[in-house]
Every structure is written in C-alpha cells, then in structure tokens.
C-alpha cells in the first residue's frame, strides 16, 4: 500500500494542476494591484516595478488563467479516479486480512 506521505503528494500535485492557472492569474493581479497597474486580458499595459516594465509578464500570467477551463475538469477527474483507486486498494487490503 502507498504510504500517507505519497498519497498527500499525489493529492497535492492534483490540486496544483487543477488550480495552478487560477493561482497564477491571481498572483499577477495581486502584483498589479500592489503596484497600481492596470491589468486585463484585452491588452498589455505598462507596469513599472523597480524601474522595469513587467506589463507583458503580468499579461501572460493573467491570460494563463484561461487554462483552468482545461485543468479544472481534468483535475477533478484525476481526483475522483485516484480516490476510487485508493478505496479499491483499501478494500483489497481488508479482504486479504480476513
């Protein structure tokens, strides 16, 4: 049987895959708000941070949020499949004990 540490790593990886684009877009918006910059998915806006324009980077990070349309359904499916696998393995383990 897989130990709990590895199970936690797998679930953590699934959650990171599922919500990663959302976190990236949220982080870009946080950086833009802290620095008083305008951020939207329509155009690249100038955002000066420490003398450098990071508007293009923030725009790219923000637009990757759209990938959640792919990662959320696939991550939910992975979560469900892995959970079912663990339940089946637990049932087999219980049957082997008796």
């Amino acid at each position: 049987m897989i130990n709990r540490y590895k199970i936690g790593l797998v679930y953590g990886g699934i959650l990171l895959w599922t919500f990663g684009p959302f976190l990236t877009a949220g982080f870009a918006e946080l950086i833009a708000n802290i620095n008083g910059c305008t951020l939207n998915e329509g155009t690249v806006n100038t955002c000066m941070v420490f003398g450098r324009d990071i508007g293009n980077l923030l725009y790219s990070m923000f637009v990757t949020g759209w990938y959640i349309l792919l990662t959320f359904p696939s991550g939910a499916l992975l979560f469900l499949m892995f959970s079912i696998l663990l339940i089946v393995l637990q049932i087999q383990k219980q049957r082997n004990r008796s």
Side-chain angles (χ1 to χ4, degrees):
M1 178 93 185
I2 305 171
N3 67 23
R4 290 182 183 188
Y5 176 74
K6 290 180 182 176
I7 291 171
L9 284 177
V10 171
Y11 275 126
I14 291 171
L15 287 174
L16 188 61
W17 165 260
T18 304
F19 296 107
F22 179 75
L23 296 173
T24 304
F27 188 62
E29 189 163 354
L30 177 68
I31 293 170
N33 286 338
I34 288 172
N35 292 293
C37 301
T38 303
L39 182 63
N40 61 47
E41 65 269 355
T43 58
V44 177
N45 297 303
T46 302
C47 184
M48 299 302 287
V49 177
F50 299 120
R52 293 184 155 230
D53 180 17
I54 62 166
N56 197 22
L57 174 65
L58 292 179
Y59 172 79
S60 297
M61 289 172 65
F62 193 66
V63 172
T64 59
W66 285 102
Y67 283 119
I68 203 161
L69 295 173
L70 168 71
T71 62
F72 188 80
S74 62
L77 184 63
L78 282 170
F79 186 88
L80 180 66
M81 289 171 53
F82 187 66
S83 297
I84 290 171
L85 174 67
L86 290 177
I87 291 169
V88 168
L89 290 175
Q90 187 66 29
I91 291 171
Q92 284 180 348
K93 185 178 177 182
Q94 293 293 330
R95 285 186 181 169
N96 289 338
R97 283 186 182 168
S98 34

